[in-house]
């Protein structure tokens, strides 16, 4: 016991404190005092018994599981398992985006976004017809994808019409007549034609009939290497290129990717205003002159936190209006893949809300009109109708048209940036490992007597930097990962200490293994 206590203290100091979950406090949860795995048990007050966390069925309804109540420490409640929500038709939990279930024939089960309730509910929806004949509707993102393409499916499956509704796509792979030409017998997988698919040898592509090969008559054939490559990929080209068929051509060529300019020093293509082929502290500059295009390396013109606008517009801080039209602000380029192309020093103008337009590569978004989020527009329209109907005076009208609290001062809720209402201490619109909390840094908004919400790591989760992200983004790492790292480090340390008293002097014995085990408990 003393050793375990010392290890816990060491974990808090060296590996970062691993906070116990709220339901592990015996003063809040009587079951936490159980001698064996008490922190995995929850107290059910109706029968005063302990039940395992995430247990499905009794004391919960058949399709629900036992989970900690987020707004009451140590208390349990019944909720639908991840990926499922309740239906008002039968009060049972059903998997989202599935056909059938509680829905009529041809309908799919989707989240009910109009229902403002602490509990998650679903509704039945009809698929939207796709504009193209050979496309299928995918309920999860409400987009259309080409039939027999991989689309949203996992590797080795293709999109085919659902047996329950031929407008909706389903991911499958079977050696049946519809998929026989896409079927790869050695692995039992299905792949799109003219892609790399299962082909291991470079220069071969997956051909109709389930074979890997190449033919000089194909547009995928490259004369220089005598091999075939998938269109749209890098193929045999230098970095920054794509292997594509040019307009009016019949054979694919190496063409600079969109938004990239060729650097003749090494033949590769780079995105302007990134470091590109230049030395540290420089950026790849592109200027159009009377005689053509001049490219070269110049000093980065802006200090940290500011972005560059060509044409003499200078450097401007992110989030300010800068040289942008009214209603727009300076933004990072959202089309830049930082991990591949490097940090972009070029700014663009765009909208700051959820209805933002895409903007352009060179920040000339004069035609873009920023609109308030859809929820805010709906709220404002409703307020205008109410005010006009009441016959209020102009001064009274201005006061009444100020945005109202979308939560109606309801306890346990906060307003969100799109003026919708969110339940506190649930994941809601946040990323995995996060939950909605009050944004105490803002207090109450100007002229608005309600609290705003933000996303924050759940207790026990640790914010860690996302590798390669230039904006210093973080992700919330579950406590089981941190604990597993610590336990593995401790085990390695004890092993080395017992086998060699001079391990520290030699500088070895510093094992760090990331293979963790959560003892069968799912981290939500």
């Amino acid at each position: 016991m003393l050793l375990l206590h010392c290890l816990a203290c060491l974990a808090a100091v060296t590996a970062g404190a691993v906070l116990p979950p709220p339901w592990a406090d015996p003063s809040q949860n009587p079951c936490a005092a159980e001698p064996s795995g008490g922190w995995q048990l929850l107290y059910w007050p109706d029968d005063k018994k302990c039940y395992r966390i995430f247990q499905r069925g009794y004391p919960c309804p058949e399709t629900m599981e036992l989970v900690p109540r987020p707004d009451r420490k140590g208390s349990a409640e019944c909720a639908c398992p991840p990926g499922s929500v309740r239906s008002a038709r039968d009060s049972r939990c059903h998997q989202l985006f599935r056909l059938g279930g509680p829905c009529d024939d041809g309908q799919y089960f989707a989240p009910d976004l109009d229902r403002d309730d602490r509990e998650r509910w679903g509704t039945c929806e009809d698929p939207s017809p796709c504009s193209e004949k050979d496309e299928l509707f995918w309920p999860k993102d409400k987009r259309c994808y080409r039939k027999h393409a991989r689309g949203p499916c996992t590797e080795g499956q293709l999109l085919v019409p659902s047996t329950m509704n031929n407008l909706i796509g389903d991911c499958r792979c079977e050696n049946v007549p519809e998929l026989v030409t896409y079927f790869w017998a050695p692995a039992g997988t299905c792949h799109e034609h003219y892609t790399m698919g299962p082909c291991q040898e470079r220069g071969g592509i997956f051909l109709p009939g389930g074979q890997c090969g190449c033919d000089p008559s194909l547009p995928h054939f490259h004369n220089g290497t005598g091999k075939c490559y998938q269109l749209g990929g890098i193929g045999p080209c230098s970095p920054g290129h794509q292997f594509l068929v040019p307009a009016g051509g019949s054979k694919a060529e190496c063409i600079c990717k969109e938004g990239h300019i060729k650097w003749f020093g090494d033949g590769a293509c780079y995105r302007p205003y990134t470091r590109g082929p230049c030395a540290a502290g420089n950026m790849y500059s592109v200027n159009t002159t009377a005689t053509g295009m001049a490219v070269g390396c110049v000093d980065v013109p802006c200090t940290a936190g500011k972005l560059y606008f060509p044409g003499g517009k200078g450097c401007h801080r992110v989030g300010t209006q800068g040289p942008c039209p009214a209603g727009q602000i300076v933004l990072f380029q959202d089309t830049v893949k930082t991990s591949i192309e490097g940090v972009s020093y070029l700014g663009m103008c765009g909208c700051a809300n959820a209805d933002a337009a895409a903007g352009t590569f060179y920040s000339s978004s004069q035609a873009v009109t920023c609109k308030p989020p859809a929820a805010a527009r709906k709220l404002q329209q409703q307020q205008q109708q109410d005010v006009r109907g009441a016959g209020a005076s102009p001064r009274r009208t201005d006061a009444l048209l100020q945005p109202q609290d979308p939560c109606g001062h309801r306890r346990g809720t906060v307003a969100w940036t799109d003026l919708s209402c969110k339940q506190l201490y649930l994941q809601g619109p946040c990323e995995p490992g996060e939950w909605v909390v009050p944004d105490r840094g803002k207090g109450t908004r100007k002229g608005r007597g309600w609290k705003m919400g933000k996303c924050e790591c759940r207790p026990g989760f640790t914010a860690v930097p996302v590798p390669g992200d230039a904006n210093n983004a973080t992700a919330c790492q579950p406590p089981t990962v941190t604990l597993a790292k610590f336990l593995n480090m401790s085990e390695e340390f004890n092993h080395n200490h017992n086998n060699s008293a001079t391990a520290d002097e030699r500088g070895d014995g510093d094992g760090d293994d990331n293979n963790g085990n959560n003892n069968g408990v799912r981290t939500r």
Side-chain angles (χ1 to χ4, degrees):
M1 292 297 294
L2 179 60
L3 176 61
L4 292 176
H5 177 72
C6 293
L7 288 176
C9 295
L10 182 62
V13 174
T14 61
V18 180
L19 298 175
W23 61 87
D25 183 359
S27 65
Q28 303 289 336
N29 176 22
C31 299
E34 292 287 330
S36 178
W39 69 278
Q40 300 181 38
L41 301 175
L42 294 175
Y43 180 73
W44 190 251
D46 291 353
D47 59 7
K48 297 181 173 58
K49 292 184 179 181
C50 299
Y51 297 92
R52 187 166 295 276
I53 190 172
F54 303 134
Q55 173 178 310
R56 191 170 299 187
Y58 188 83
C60 295
E62 180 183 358
T63 58
M64 304 184 81
E65 64 181 15
L66 194 70
V67 299
R69 188 178 176 93
D71 56 348
R72 296 181 187 174
K73 295 181 180 179
S75 180
E77 67 177 355
C78 297
C80 290
S84 63
V85 297
R86 292 181 67 184
S87 169
R89 294 189 177 187
D90 57 10
S91 291
R92 294 168 60 89
C93 299
H94 298 273
Q95 285 290 317
L96 286 169
F97 310 112
R98 296 280 182 87
L99 288 167
C103 302
D104 297 333
D105 291 343
Q107 292 186 317
Y108 66 94
F109 194 53
D112 189 353
L113 302 179
D114 294 330
R115 185 161 182 166
D116 187 14
D117 197 339
R118 180 179 178 277
E119 190 171 1
R120 296 175 300 168
W121 292 84
T123 184
C124 296
E125 294 187 5
D126 294 308
S128 302
C130 296
S131 57
E132 300 294 332
K133 180 180 179 181
D134 292 331
E135 288 186 335
L136 297 171
F137 180 77
W138 186 249
K140 193 168 185 178
D141 59 10
K142 297 187 177 182
R143 293 176 57 187
C144 291
Y145 296 90
R146 183 168 50 86
K147 184 171 65 174
H148 297 154
R150 177 180 172 182
C153 303
T154 58
E155 180 68 31
Q157 292 189 325
L158 298 179
L159 197 67
V160 296
S162 170
T163 55
M164 301 179 67
N165 188 330
N166 60 9
L167 297 178
I168 293 181
D170 189 17
C171 294
R172 290 204 305 270
C173 178
E174 300 171 310
N175 192 7
V176 295
E178 182 183 8
L179 294 172
V180 65
T181 64
Y182 302 91
F183 189 75
W184 174 249
T189 53
C190 296
H191 306 273
E192 290 185 65
H193 296 153
Y194 309 111
T195 66
M196 286 293 295
C199 305
Q200 299 295 321
E201 184 178 353
R202 181 173 170 83
I205 55 177
F206 190 63
L207 301 175
Q211 300 292 326
C212 292
C214 179
D215 190 279
S217 64
L218 294 172
H220 310 72
F221 184 79
H222 183 250
N223 292 326
T225 60
K227 297 180 179 180
C228 293
Y229 302 91
Q230 180 176 325
L231 298 181
I234 190 170
C237 312
S238 302
H241 286 83
Q242 279 184 304
F243 191 58
L244 293 171
V245 178
S250 59
K251 292 285 186 180
E253 301 175 4
C254 293
I255 302 172
C256 280
K257 292 193 298 185
E258 183 180 1
H260 289 60
I261 304 295
K262 190 170 186 178
W263 170 252
F264 292 96
D266 58 6
C269 299
Y270 299 96
R271 184 181 287 274
Y273 308 108
T274 65
R275 177 176 172 179
C278 307
N282 285 251
M283 71 177 187
Y284 186 43
S285 175
V286 177
N287 289 309
T288 303
T289 65
T291 57
M293 184 175 291
V295 297
C297 296
V298 299
D299 292 336
V300 175
C302 304
T303 57
K306 293 185 178 182
L307 295 176
Y308 177 67
F309 285 76
K313 297 179 181 178
C315 300
H316 300 274
R317 188 168 296 281
V318 177
T320 63
Q321 180 176 344
C324 303
Q328 299 182 34
I329 60 173
V330 175
L331 299 172
F332 289 98
Q333 287 181 274
D334 52 11
T335 58
V336 177
K337 296 180 180 179
T338 306
S339 59
I340 300 174
E341 302 165 0
V343 177
S344 175
Y345 302 102
L346 181 69
M348 62 171 281
C349 295
C351 304
N353 53 51
D355 292 346
T360 65
F361 177 71
Y362 286 111
S363 73
S364 57
S365 31
Q366 298 288 336
V368 175
T369 301
C370 294
K371 301 177 181 179
R377 290 199 298 271
K378 183 177 179 180
L379 181 64
Q380 291 170 358
Q381 292 171 359
Q382 182 62 46
Q383 291 169 352
Q384 290 173 356
Q385 293 174 0
D386 294 344
V387 169
R388 293 191 185 101
S393 64
R395 180 173 297 181
R396 178 62 176 164
T397 298
D398 293 340
L400 290 174
L401 288 181
Q402 293 297 319
Q404 303 298 308
D405 180 3
C407 298
H409 301 286
R410 200 164 62 250
R411 293 184 62 182
T413 60
V414 289
W416 205 246
T417 53
D418 59 358
L419 289 185
S420 63
C421 184
K422 304 298 180 186
Q423 180 72 35
L424 283 170
Y425 310 117
L426 295 177
Q427 179 175 334
C430 303
E431 298 294 327
E434 298 179 335
W435 62 0
V436 176
V437 298
D439 190 353
R440 294 182 175 85
K442 294 182 178 178
T444 56
R445 296 285 292 267
K446 290 182 179 179
R448 305 174 186 175
W450 72 80
K451 292 181 179 178
M452 301 294 293
K454 68 175 183 178
C455 295
E456 186 176 87
C457 286
R458 290 172 177 263
F461 284 67
T462 306
V464 295
V466 176
D469 190 278
N471 298 325
N472 298 322
T474 59
C476 295
Q477 179 176 276
T480 50
V481 175
T482 304
L483 183 59
K485 287 183 178 179
F486 165 71
L487 293 177
N488 285 325
M489 289 175 63
S490 300
E491 182 179 352
E492 184 73 13
F493 172 79
N494 290 333
H495 173 77
N496 291 334
H497 180 73
N498 293 331
N499 286 278
S500 175
T502 60
D504 291 339
E505 296 177 3
R506 292 196 309 268
D508 53 16
D510 189 25
D512 187 1
D513 188 357
N514 291 329
N515 297 324
N517 189 335
N518 64 359
N519 297 322
V521 179
R522 183 174 70 248
T523 302
R524 293 172 63 90

